[in-house]
Structure formats: C-alpha cells, structure tokens
Amino acid sequence: MELTPQAIDNLVEELREYHAIYSPLFQRREQREGAAKYLHGLLLDIPRKSIEPMVLALAGAHAKTVRTLQLFISEGAWDDAALLHRHWQEVDQVLGEADGVLTLDGSDFLKQGQESVGVKRQYCGEVGKRANCQAGVYVGYASRQGYTLLDRRLYLPQEWVEDEAYAERRRRCGVPADMPFKTKPALGWEMIQAIHRAQTLRGRWVTCDEAFGRDTSLLDHIDGIGLWYFAEVPHDTQVWQHRPATAVPPWAGQGRKPTRTRVLAGEAQLEKVAQLAAALPADRWTQHTIKEGSKGPLVARFAALRVIAGRGGLPGPAVWLVVRRNLLTGELKTYLSNAPIDMPLATLVRLSGMRWPIETCFEDGKQYLGMGDYEVRSWRGWHHHMTLCILAHFFLVRACLRLKKKPLA
C-alpha cells in the first residue's frame, strides 16, 4: 500500500478494466455504475470515505447522486456471493499457490447508537476492550506473491437474533427472518467451506488465532475437507503426550450398565500445552527467522512435538504441538496443527508468521479504503460495503505487484 495518490490517479483507466471483470454480474446498468463510483470513491485520497464525501469528490454536491449511491449500497439487490466467487478466481490468477494460506480473523468497528445492525457493547479488538461496536469475521489469503481478503460475515450477538426486544431492530435492519445465531468460528467455517467448494483458489493451509483455534469442531471441520490447520491455542489447552487406552468400564453388577468410553485408570493424564513447553529441555529448542519485518528480522525459538489432542475428555487426533518463544520478551505462543508427521519444522515456523497478512489487510482497509467509514445500518448494506472494500483492496494489490512492489516473503 505504498502507492502515492498520484499513482492512484494514473490508475483510473486500469480501474475501469478491473470493474469490467465484475460488471456482467450486475443485472442493471444503474448497479454497474454504482459499483464503479463506489470502487473509485474508496480509492480517493480524502479524509473520510462515507458516501457523501466520496460523491462530493467525484461528482460535486448532487443530493440525488448521494441518495442513489446510498440506495445502491443499503438496499441494492445485487449478489455479493457472485462477485466474491469471481474475486477468488482473480486472486488465484495473481496470488495463487498450491500451499497458499487461508487466514481466519475478526475485525471490529466502533459505532455510536444502537440502531446499526449487530451493534452491541462487546469486546472490540480495535480498542482492546469492551465498547459499542460491530464485529466482523473475515477470511484472507496469503502466498509468497502477496495477500488480500476473500470473504466477510457480520457477527450477530445472540440477543440480536433471539431476543424479542430486538425484533423491531432486526426488521428495520433487514436481518433475514430465518437467521439463526452463529458463533464466530461457525461463520468462519461457512466461509472456508464456500471457498473450498468453489475449487477456484489453490491453497493448503488455514491459520487462525486462539479465539478460533480453541474451537475443536472448527478444527475437525477443516481437517475433514483435507486442509491443514495451524491454529494458535490457549496455553491451558490440554493434550496427551501419548495416546491413552480407552474402554467402556465393566459393569459392577449394580445400577445402570456403563455405555460411555472412558480413559482407563492408570493411563497418562491430560497436560496443559504451556506446561509441556516449560518442561522441554534446551536442546529441543532451535532458533529461526520467521520473517523480515520493517524493523529487521523477526526471530524466535521453536520446538515441535507430536501429541494427542483432546476431544470431550477422550483422545482425539494426533497433531503437532508447536511452541514459539520470543527471544526478547519470553512471550510464549502455542499452536496445534494437523499437518502430516513428516512436515519439516521450517514449514511450521513459516506458518507461525502467516497471520500478520490479514492484520495488514485490516490496517490497509481502514487507513486507505474507508473500510470502517461506512454509515449504512442495514444487514445488506454492511455486506455490500465490505464486498466492495475487498475488491478495492485487491485492485491495489494487483497494482502494487504490477509496479513491482516487494511481494510477501
């Protein structure tokens, strides 16, 4: 995102060509024109990129044009899914690699008032504490060629979906009447599954932070479609060093006969991953460079061992436990991965540094592309806005690569 405003101005014709890729997916001429204006507006060098300032910069003070673009975003009946499916094809052509990485993460948006869809006082990553905000869940893509965003979902807190007191707000915001409550990991799985089913974007890995990595059903779903996850997990995650024997306990002759499988008495106990890391001898740790950062190389010490993951108090799959310790602060990171047993440690080290691209996408989107500047309140409007932000981001990624900006190491 080192393009200057002057360089962006020179890309207007290229933007027309880029818009033409997606133009046939809009059914009406007005929708095609609206998408072109909105994409151009998101790329402008103006302080705030809500609709009115964008229209003012593009076409002057025309109230009718402002209202038309507001309706295009808030109420327009155009298909986000079709645009994003086409986007994945373009991402594969420009960035796609067989071992590409899908990255799952959340990004939150501070909002005032109570009328915007999904808004609630909840933990907000943008400020690192509870605040009135909307919470989004995103999937990004990263390869050695670069990185971008692929998909988005708005998280609806449970009361927004199930509480009768929110019924009128749901109606005003256009939340689908049959919308069930979905956790953030469930939303992430929906997107990963859709991308995998499309079979248009090459990739092998899924990375996520511990908010998603602690959800074992998500990890099992990812494993079930043949992808390899590299998931940060909480330090108190419990595993076995060796697979314990299990059986249904014998009936004692009284009461109900046992039917549930249990770990046999005398078998090894579950251990916390942080305790396993602390007990590793010095010769199990090796030093590795994760990536080259803006302030020099990011270096840490790593160790990896095979463990048995827990599933409901019983042994589950055999996985890698990867532990990473910061050389300066001593901070410990713990990860689980279903990668094959012969996976080189160097590859797992690289994966430990592959979450930063999606965080950079969020920074770029909010700083340069008005990702958080929207003023729409509706369900449809939020998703429309985020779809076009994703397309705008990828347009700049393509431009940077064409202008020979440094790709992802």
Side-chain angles (χ1 to χ4, degrees), residues 74 112 115-118 134 173 374-379 381-382:
S74 297
Q112 295 184 356
E115 301 306 313
S116 295
V117 61
Q134 292 169 301
C173 292
Y374 59 92
E375 294 176 349
V376 293
R377 291 179 171 178
S378 69
W379 171 265
W382 189 93

Side-chain angles (χ1 to χ4, degrees), residues 59 63 88 115 152 166 173 187 193 215 307-308 366 369 373 375-376:
W88 303 339
E115 301 306 313
R152 74 292 166 270
Y166 283 78
C173 292
L187 294 172
Q193 189 177 35
D215 190 303
V307 297
I308 306 301
K366 291 178 179 181
L369 299 171
D373 291 348
E375 294 176 349
V376 293

Side-chain angles (χ1 to χ4, degrees), residues 19-49:
H19 173 262
I21 297 171
Y22 304 96
S23 168
L25 301 175
F26 294 98
Q27 295 181 345
R28 299 171 54 194
R29 174 182 57 82
E30 294 84 357
Q31 293 174 344
R32 291 190 285 273
E33 292 174 352
K37 285 189 179 73
Y38 207 82
L39 284 172
H40 193 173
L42 293 175
L43 296 167
L44 292 172
D45 182 27
I46 55 178
R48 183 168 178 82
K49 297 180 182 180

Side-chain angles (χ1 to χ4, degrees), residues 318-358:
V319 295
W320 282 107
L321 167 61
V322 181
V323 291
R324 175 180 119 182
R325 193 174 293 282
N326 186 291
L327 291 181
L328 298 177
T329 66
E331 179 190 18
L332 180 70
K333 296 278 190 179
T334 51
Y335 309 89
L336 293 180
S337 175
N338 66 330
I341 193 170
D342 58 352
M343 184 61 61
L345 178 58
T347 301
L348 299 175
V349 168
R350 174 176 173 261
L351 265 294
S352 79
M354 291 302 287
R355 269 217 0 258
W356 69 266
I358 194 169

Side-chain angles (χ1 to χ4, degrees), residues 6 23 40 66 97 101 106 158 207 218 253 282 285 294 296 327 333 347 362 369-370 381 397:
Q6 292 76 17
S23 168
H40 193 173
V66 171
E97 291 181 341
V101 182
Q158 194 161 1
T207 65
L218 171 64
W285 296 82
S294 58
L327 291 181
K333 296 278 190 179
T347 301
F362 296 148
L369 299 171
V397 168

